[in-house]
Amino acid sequence: MLGIAVLGCGAIGMQIIRALATGRVEGRVVCVHDLSEERARQAARLAGAEVAPGLEELLHCDAEVLVECASVSAARRVLLPALELGKQVVVLSTGALADPAILERVESFHGSRVHVPSGAVGALDALRAAREGELRRVVLKTTKPPRALEGSPYVVEKGIDLRGLKERSRIFAGSALEAISGFPANINVAVSVSLAGLGTRKTEVEIYADPAASRNIHEVHAEGDFGTFYFRTENLPSPENPRTSQLAVLSALALLRRLSSVLQLG
Ligand SMILES: NC(=O)c1ccc[n+]([C@@H]2O[C@H](COP(=O)([O-])OP(=O)(O)OC[C@H]3O[C@@H](n4cnc5c(N)ncnc54)[C@H](O)[C@@H]3O)[C@@H](O)[C@H]2O)c1
C-alpha cells in the first residue's frame, strides 16, 4: 500500500486524509504537516500518522508520495527536493508550475513523477489530445462570487471594489501567467489548463466577479485542427473553503485512486 505524506491539512488535505483513513481510497497516511500545529495534530490523530514539525521532516518521512495541498509558495519549496528524493508528487497548488524555471527543472527529472489533478476544471484530457495536432486558441473564463476573490494581490493592487459590484463584471483579462501571479489562491486551474494545452503565456484567462453567483464557474473554450470544444463546470464550493471547488477535492481523490490502479483512463 502506498505511503503518503500530506502537506496542508485544510479543506483539500482533510478530505484526502479522511478518505485514506477510512479506506475509501487505498493508501496509508504516514506523515502530515501544516503551519497550524493544531490542524496537523488533528489530521495525524484521524489517520494514525505522525506530525512532521517542518518541511524537511515531511520530505524525509517514509512515504513514496507527497501530496501538496497547502499553497503556491509551499509547493515551490517542496517540489524539487521531493523529486530529488525520488518521491512522486501530487500538486494541487499548480501555480508553482507556472514558473518556467521550476517547470524546466521538473521536466528534467527521470523516473520521478509530478501528478496534476484535473482540479476544479475538466477538459484536460481533451486538451492534451488536441495539442497533438495544432491547438490554436485556449480561453478560460472563470466566474466566482466576489467574496472568493477578496484579498487577491491583483484586486488589492488595482483597488477593485468587489463589494460594490451590482452585476457580473470582468475584473481581469490576460495570460495565465499574469492570472496566477494576480490571483495565486484562486486560479490554479489556469495553470492546469495551460500545462495541458498552450502553456501559461498563450492561454487566455478572463476572471469575472458575480454577486449573484453561488457557484464557481469555469468555461474552457478551445480551437484547433480537431475542431472546437467548450467545457463548462458549475462547481459547488467546498464546505470548508469558499475559494476551493468541491470538484478539486474529488479530483485529488480520483488521482490518488489512479496511482494504485491498473487501468489508466484519459
Ligand atoms: N488545482 C486546483 O484546481 C485547485 C483547486 C482548489 C484549490 N487549489 C489549491 O490547493 C491548495 C489547498 O487548498 P485548500 O482549499 O485546501 O486550502 P485551505 O486554505 O483550506 O488549506 C490550506 C492549508 O495549508 C496550510 N498551509 C499553507 N501554507 C503552508 C505552508 N507553507 N506550510 C505548511 N502548511 C501550509 C494552511 O495552514 C491550511 O491549513 C491551495 O493552494 C489552493 O489554491 C487548487
Side-chain angles (χ1 to χ4, degrees):
M1 197 184 278
L2 276 180
I4 297 174
V6 179
L7 169 54
C9 306
I12 298 179
M14 281 310 284
Q15 291 195 62
I16 290 175
I17 288 164
R18 256 180 241 127
L20 292 164
T22 56
R24 178 177 159 199
V25 174
E26 197 177 305
R28 181 175 54 92
V29 185
V30 175
C31 197
V32 300
H33 174 67
D34 197 291
L35 284 179
S36 152
E37 264 183 58
E38 196 191 322
R39 280 192 194 179
R41 271 202 302 274
Q42 200 187 342
R45 258 197 314 276
L46 183 67
E50 278 179 27
V51 174
L55 293 180
E56 267 312 296
E57 291 83 354
L58 186 79
L59 281 164
H60 286 92
C61 80
D62 181 25
E64 291 97 344
V65 181
L66 172 67
V67 180
E68 178 286 322
C69 40
S71 65
V72 168
S73 65
R76 280 205 192 104
R77 288 171 62 193
V78 295
L79 200 48
L80 297 171
L83 290 174
E84 270 154 20
L85 289 164
K87 300 195 186 271
Q88 302 194 58
V89 189
V90 175
V91 183
L92 267 297
S93 309
T94 49
L97 294 166
D99 180 340
I102 292 190
L103 187 57
E104 201 178 308
R105 296 247 353 245
V106 164
E107 286 174 335
S108 72
F109 277 89
H110 295 285
S112 303
R113 295 258 184 285
V114 175
H115 303 272
V116 177
S118 51
V121 69
L124 301 194
D125 53 347
L127 275 175
R128 279 194 296 121
R131 79 167 177 201
E132 293 298 326
E134 194 196 342
L135 179 59
R136 280 185 285 279
R137 189 164 185 228
V138 180
V139 184
L140 168 71
K141 294 185 184 176
T142 289
T143 304
K144 294 198 174 192
R147 71 192 160 94
L149 297 160
E150 274 171 8
S152 304
Y154 185 87
V155 168
V156 173
E157 188 190 307
K158 300 279 176 196
I160 299 170
D161 175 17
L162 290 170
R163 285 172 195 232
L165 292 180
K166 298 279 178 283
E167 57 187 26
R168 181 175 184 263
S169 311
R170 193 174 80 177
I171 60 162
F172 171 87
S175 69
L177 193 57
E178 291 159 342
I180 192 68
S181 84
F183 299 85
N186 281 98
I187 199 81
N188 284 286
V189 287
V191 179
S192 311
V193 165
S194 303
L195 290 169
L198 284 179
T200 51
R201 289 197 169 85
K202 289 191 186 151
T203 301
E204 300 164 45
V205 176
E206 296 178 17
I207 300 175
Y208 295 80
D210 183 355
S214 56
R215 298 180 173 192
N216 298 328
I217 300 169
H218 299 292
E219 297 163 282
V220 182
H221 305 249
E223 293 169 25
D225 281 350
F226 72 97
T228 62
F229 77 70
Y230 167 67
F231 196 96
R232 175 182 165 105
T233 37
E234 289 192 18
N235 290 306
L236 289 170
S238 132
E240 288 99 348
N241 183 352
R243 290 172 194 273
T244 288
S245 300
Q246 185 58 9
L247 188 64
V249 179
L250 299 177
S251 81
L253 297 183
L255 199 150
L256 288 173
R257 188 184 295 284
R258 181 185 164 121
L259 291 184
S260 324
S261 295
V262 173
L263 191 58
Q264 301 281 310
L265 292 172

